[in-house]
Amino acid sequence: MSRRAAAKEGSSSAYTSFQQKRRAQALDRQKNAREDKVQQLRTLALAAIQDDAEAMHEDTQQQPQNRQQQRHRRRGQQQQQQQELPQDTQLYGMDGVNPLQLGGSMMKAYFARQLMQPEWMSDIPQDLGSSWLVMPRPEGKRCLVISTGNYTYARSRTGALLLRFPSKLPGGGPGTSGGESCYCVLDCILQEQEQRIQHQHNQQQQQQRVGMDADMAPAGESTPSQPQQHSANGSSSSSSSGGCTFFIQDVLAWRGYSLVDCGAEFRLFWLASKLQEEAGGSSSSSSWSLDGGNPGPSHSHRFKLLPYWHATPDGLAAAARAGAAAAAAAAAAAGGCPGYVQDGVYLRHVEGHYSQGGGCTPLALLWKDAGCSRYLLDTDGDGVVPEFQQLVLAYQGPPTDGVATADEPPVVLGRLPQEFVQQMGPKLLRPGRLLRFSIRAGGLLFNADGSPAGADLAYEGPANQRRGRADVYTKVLFQWQARRQPLQLEALLAAAVAEQQQQGAGQQQGSSMADD
């Protein structure tokens, strides 16, 4: 083995150990945390109503010639709010801030921080098969859905309001409210109508990728052909009904009961059982879909729970081809499967809580390869994979002039030259400004303990500030690996098989010792 290959293998092994320690520390922090999440989620529901009421009042009461003055006044209030907040709150958190006193961009920032931020899988957990759950991840917009006050609100990852509509979620429509404490908060993937039309065009291609064993049973199911979620009428019926589909991937609260401090396995089990109750208690596949109200002629939105499995070899294989299997079932008019274009899988530790606050958690992971995603490598605005890997970092400001990821704490990958900072000036280069870089031949750098140490960066220009945040380090590392030695499904399957064999050998040895 060459010296360079040995160094690369050593740094990879150190990073794997570094990530394992981070996951263990995250589990320890969960056990020691004693925050009052119930009040936090209740405030979140009240903030959704207040922000919507203010927006509606402005739309109905303000004359067109006065709306520009209103926007200027609101912008001044937001700037004053930012000046009054502590510096660390402005940049990284909203802890200790009453959202009912916020407005505009600060309110959006508050909502954006309620979604759990997963990391990207850059190493394989040692307990993958025994301690992790896996579900398919559809293409679409990730959003926070809040049902309260007889309406349902969908907010994007940046906190912007996407939709407001009645639904059959508790508290989300007429006849569903049970008072101020009746609200739900869901983590969803929004699939808009044009995405479903595109999905119909791709159904035939996806169907060809389905294997003979596409009906493997998910966790907790005794019937091999039925995963733990399904739609009422299949994807073809939802396509014809118009509107949007919300694929539910997690739950934060249900009827005012907070679930953020519960493990992922319990949250998903609870959500499945409660959706079944809302659908009338039926155990058939129709129980896994809730149709929304009809605010307009073709504006009926649906909620569908995604299937999930334990991350065993069978579960990983089933999750990786769930989108193709759903397309095949819909094309055959079999029903029982949601129609979507898949973009990898989503893994969560069975004991992992729903982590809020904006920082990434190592107990939730994203993964994809070319077999279950159309976009393994990031592309530019024209859909073309650039020659060099692109990434977005945030400028930290003086005195370090570092550029860092969106992790908490942020990972500094480089520092801007003093001449460049002076040339840009404080108006163009203020703290928090998002900048676009590329990674050159030097690649990513690591410390001896496996922690990230920097990168060989080249400045490419300003980034789109509307995206709201920089890239996280594990995404940068995942894309860097995908260009060189991508983490394939076969590697995940091999790790899960090895864990099963190790557990079987341990059980056999224990049985032999008991016999003796």
Side-chain angles (χ1 to χ4, degrees), residues 18 46 104 163 171 193 195 198 254 284 301 344 368 370 382 412 421:
F18 172 73
L46 293 174
L163 289 170
Q193 185 175 6
Q195 289 178 294
Q198 182 183 16
W254 187 270
S284 66
H301 305 306
K368 60 183 176 180
D382 298 325
V412 179
V421 174

Side-chain angles (χ1 to χ4, degrees), residues 192-239:
E192 298 177 303
Q193 185 175 6
E194 56 267 24
Q195 289 178 294
R196 291 203 303 276
I197 295 174
Q198 182 183 16
H199 162 70
Q200 287 179 326
H201 293 162
N202 295 332
Q203 276 186 350
Q204 185 175 2
Q205 295 177 347
Q206 289 185 334
Q207 184 180 4
Q208 296 174 356
R209 295 166 50 193
V210 182
M212 295 298 294
D213 53 349
D215 57 347
M216 290 182 178
E221 279 290 331
S222 58
T223 305
S225 60
Q226 290 188 357
Q228 288 190 352
Q229 172 279 326
H230 297 307
S231 67
N233 302 308
S235 62
S236 56
S237 64
S238 64
S239 298

